[in-house]
Amino acid sequence: MTSLPSTLRHVAIVGGGAAGTLAAIILSKLPGIGRLTLLDRDGRFGRGLAYSAPEKWHRINVPAIKMGGVDAEDSEAFVDWLAARGDVTGPEYSDSFVPRWTYGDFLCDQLAKIDATGRLEQRTATAVAVARSGDRYRIELASGDAIESDMAVLCIGNQPPSPFPGIEPSARSIDNVWTSGALDAIAPDDRVLVIGTGATAVDIVIDLMHRGIRKEVTMLSRRGLLPRVDVATVADPDPVEIWPIRTVRGLLHSLREDIRRKQAAGLPWQTSIDTFRLQTAGFWQGLSTGEQARFSRHLRAYWLSHRHRLAPDVATSLEQWQSDGRLSVVAGNIVSAVATPTGHDARLRRRGGSEQHLATNWILNCTGPEERYDRIGDPLIGSLLAGGQARRGALGLGLDVDPNCRLRDAAGYAHQGLYAVGPATRGAFWEVTAASNIRKQLLGVADYLRSTNQIS
Ligand SMILES: Cc1cc2nc3c(=O)[nH]c(=O)nc-3n(C[C@H](O)[C@H](O)[C@H](O)COP(=O)(O)OP(=O)(O)OC[C@H]3O[C@@H](n4cnc5c(N)ncnc54)[C@H](O)[C@@H]3O)c2cc1C
């Protein structure tokens, strides 16, 4: 290996999922960056939580083309890579919702190219603290070791869900359904209550059906909204302008108007949503805290069900299971769930007021990752907040960052060389879960580094 000039910067990235991997790939292309260290506590480099899912029915929730590539201009890179590998996405639109591990394979392939240059170290380790050390950042590891770098990027991703309120703890109530083997003890004749009706809940219901579950599965969420069905992409001929809108009411009005206009012109409503999706960060940042809270309270569930959509064949399966009596979707909440020797006696209150008793063998919390960082016991997040290196984001969501993803300390000042990207920045950007959004954030960081001459 040739030694690198000492002026080149060393970047440490905490988290080796899709965000950390994209960070390594994008930053490695900047001329002033020499070494990169990628840390992941689970050793799931290139995959993280979403793209290490092992089954072929764990599929990406958008057509492959929308996963894009790595750079701004290579929007077909993932599809081209699939084709080159022989995994051609079929002629059917729904065939292009490929298994999630294929996207993990794609990222691992890109990572391997940097690895081959000798500039990248992938290290299975848990970061427990990050602190300023002169002009550098010192990352302390659970092992007792430490790493010093010129720049650090936190890509700590999806946090496990918190226990769901009202449920008496028991081995038959599973809070983190993504833990390896979490569903293995569920027998085909068990009754299962799935809390949540979003993307995670749908994934788990499909898993249960493939495991041969025979009893009716119940899905429960406050509004009982399943994700809507996706359609083939249509270019938006007349994008709605969201930027002047500063209220939730204004947004609803504009979106409804736009959808009416588009539908009258024969375009699907999904076109309006996909256009707005590209503007969500700017829209969120333009809202007052009160309007952000109003959005979270009233519109979030509707937005998510329109934004995260289902592959057409998945939507058909869900409909079929509902009409066969294998699946029911309830709008309501849990009043109580008392542990019994065989599961829980749950009392549900349906939207509208009526009550339902459900003797269930399993309760699966599928409400998705915990977003409120005041409820998270993670040592790294705890030490950043306690030491004043970071503060929570708007509405307690994630960690606060400036528009260039630089972490803000307790007083609100942005660190020079400490960044956060991905779901941890939800308070500032709100919608930063999809791979496409995360890539956009990272390209913004790269532009910022270039424009401020921090690299040359
Ligand atoms: C089940 C599921 C399915 C999804 N499907 C899609 C999809 O189809 N398309 C799409 O665009 N998006 C999808 N998403 C959104 C997804 O969140 C992003 O696409 C992306 O995977 C987020 O990557 P990440 O690296 O930020 O997070 P993660 O995948 O959560 O990775 C974070 C990594 O950081 C590591 N880590 C955390 N803390 C530390 C620490 N202190 N020290 C060391 N390592 C640490 C973790 O071990 C983990 O491996 C899905 C999300 C989920 C949960």
Side-chain angles (χ1 to χ4, degrees):
M1 190 178 89
T2 50
S3 62
L4 294 161
S6 58
T7 49
L8 291 182
R9 287 155 62 98
H10 173 209
V11 180
I13 300 166
V14 180
T21 300
L22 285 165
I25 298 165
I26 289 170
L27 296 178
S28 72
K29 294 181 181 171
L30 298 177
I33 287 181
R35 267 187 323 124
L36 297 121
T37 303
L38 185 58
L39 300 169
D40 193 85
R41 82 178 149 215
D42 304 311
R44 294 193 293 206
F45 300 100
R47 300 184 183 279
L49 172 63
Y51 309 107
S52 52
E55 307 292 353
K56 65 176 186 301
W57 57 81
H58 293 139
R59 296 193 294 162
I60 57 171
N61 55 19
V62 289
I65 186 88
K66 287 196 187 165
M67 296 299 280
V70 174
D71 297 321
E73 311 78 33
D74 62 352
S75 62
E76 299 195 2
F78 178 47
V79 173
D80 290 346
W81 178 91
L82 284 169
R85 197 168 84 151
D87 295 349
V88 186
T89 57
E92 290 296 317
Y93 164 69
S94 61
D95 290 347
S96 66
F97 291 78
V98 295
R100 287 209 291 274
W101 46 257
T102 55
Y103 186 70
D105 287 354
F106 166 72
L107 290 182
C108 286
D109 230 27
Q110 313 304 311
L111 210 50
K113 288 181 193 152
I114 317 174
D115 208 22
T117 66
R119 296 165 61 203
L120 173 70
E121 183 192 6
Q122 298 176 59
R123 186 162 168 182
T124 301
T126 303
V128 291
V130 181
R132 191 93 194 244
S133 164
D135 283 346
R136 313 191 81 208
Y137 286 91
R138 181 180 164 84
I139 300 174
E140 287 172 19
L141 307 180
S143 63
D145 286 353
I147 294 171
E148 289 224 351
S149 64
D150 301 296
M151 174 178 162
V153 190
L154 305 179
C155 300
I156 51 181
N158 299 293
Q159 302 299 319
S162 301
F164 198 83
I167 298 173
E168 191 175 346
S170 136
R172 284 173 173 268
S173 150
I174 300 174
D175 278 319
N176 190 352
V177 288
W178 298 118
T179 310
S180 171
L183 309 186
D184 287 355
I186 300 178
D189 284 317
D190 284 348
R191 279 216 62 135
V192 183
L193 171 61
V194 171
I195 305 179
T197 52
T200 299
V202 168
D203 238 31
I204 292 300
V205 166
I206 295 170
D207 235 327
L208 292 171
M209 295 301 175
H210 278 280
R211 284 163 183 258
I213 201 94
R214 286 190 282 261
K215 289 270 167 62
E216 186 186 57
V217 174
T218 304
M219 296 175 90
L220 172 78
S221 71
R222 259 198 303 229
R223 294 186 171 84
L225 296 171
L226 286 171
R228 309 288 292 268
V229 67
D230 200 26
V231 293
T233 317
V234 181
D236 192 339
D238 173 25
V240 60
E241 281 197 354
I242 297 295
W243 63 265
I245 300 171
R246 294 284 176 264
T247 62
V248 172
R249 192 186 286 269
L251 171 71
L252 254 182
H253 176 75
S254 286
L255 273 182
R256 281 188 178 137
E257 276 296 301
D258 191 55
I259 287 171
R260 256 195 291 277
R261 241 191 349 259
K262 299 264 152 65
Q263 286 183 325
L267 297 171
W269 59 262
Q270 288 88 341
T271 312
S272 301
I273 300 292
D274 287 350
T275 301
F276 172 53
R277 197 169 72 76
L278 303 174
Q279 309 174 47
T280 45
F283 170 71
W284 179 256
Q285 284 159 0
L287 295 182
S288 65
T289 310
E291 284 296 315
Q292 288 177 340
R294 193 162 294 130
F295 184 92
S296 293
R297 223 174 17 250
H298 300 300
L299 226 56
R300 186 176 182 275
Y302 293 102
W303 168 251
L304 289 178
S305 72
H306 286 75
R307 150 78 183 87
H308 295 290
R309 301 193 290 263
L310 296 175
D313 61 314
V314 173
T316 306
S317 298
L318 289 175
E319 275 168 26
Q320 189 63 50
W321 293 329
Q322 287 180 82
S323 58
D324 293 348
R326 297 178 69 193
L327 175 68
S328 68
V329 180
V330 176
N333 52 33
I334 291 201
V335 180
S336 63
V338 179
T340 67
T342 56
H344 286 83
D345 268 336
R347 264 176 63 212
L348 314 183
R349 181 169 300 123
R350 286 175 173 266
R351 216 170 151 82
S354 66
E355 283 210 0
Q356 176 184 348
H357 279 88
L358 187 72
T360 186
N361 300 109
W362 298 93
I363 300 182
L364 310 183
N365 180 356
C366 297
T367 51
E370 178 58 80
E371 297 170 351
R372 291 279 308 262
Y373 275 30
D374 47 354
R375 298 180 186 151
I376 288 173
D378 180 85
L380 174 59
I381 295 168
S383 77
L384 285 166
L385 292 172
Q389 313 283 344
R391 65 180 188 183
R392 286 197 297 272
L395 309 180
L397 301 172
L399 299 173
D400 195 18
V401 290
D402 80 353
N404 299 304
C405 293
R406 295 185 304 166
L407 200 69
R408 288 192 198 273
D409 68 14
Y413 293 110
H415 287 266
Q416 257 322 307
L418 179 56
Y419 294 74
V421 165
T425 62
R426 190 183 299 277
F429 291 88
W430 183 52
E431 178 139 313
V432 272
T433 45
S436 52
N437 291 106
I438 294 172
R439 186 179 56 254
K440 201 168 154 196
Q441 275 191 317
L442 284 160
L443 291 170
V445 170
D447 281 348
Y448 172 73
L449 291 171
R450 266 193 222 100
S451 68
T452 51
N453 294 323
Q454 292 187 53
I455 47 155
S456 50

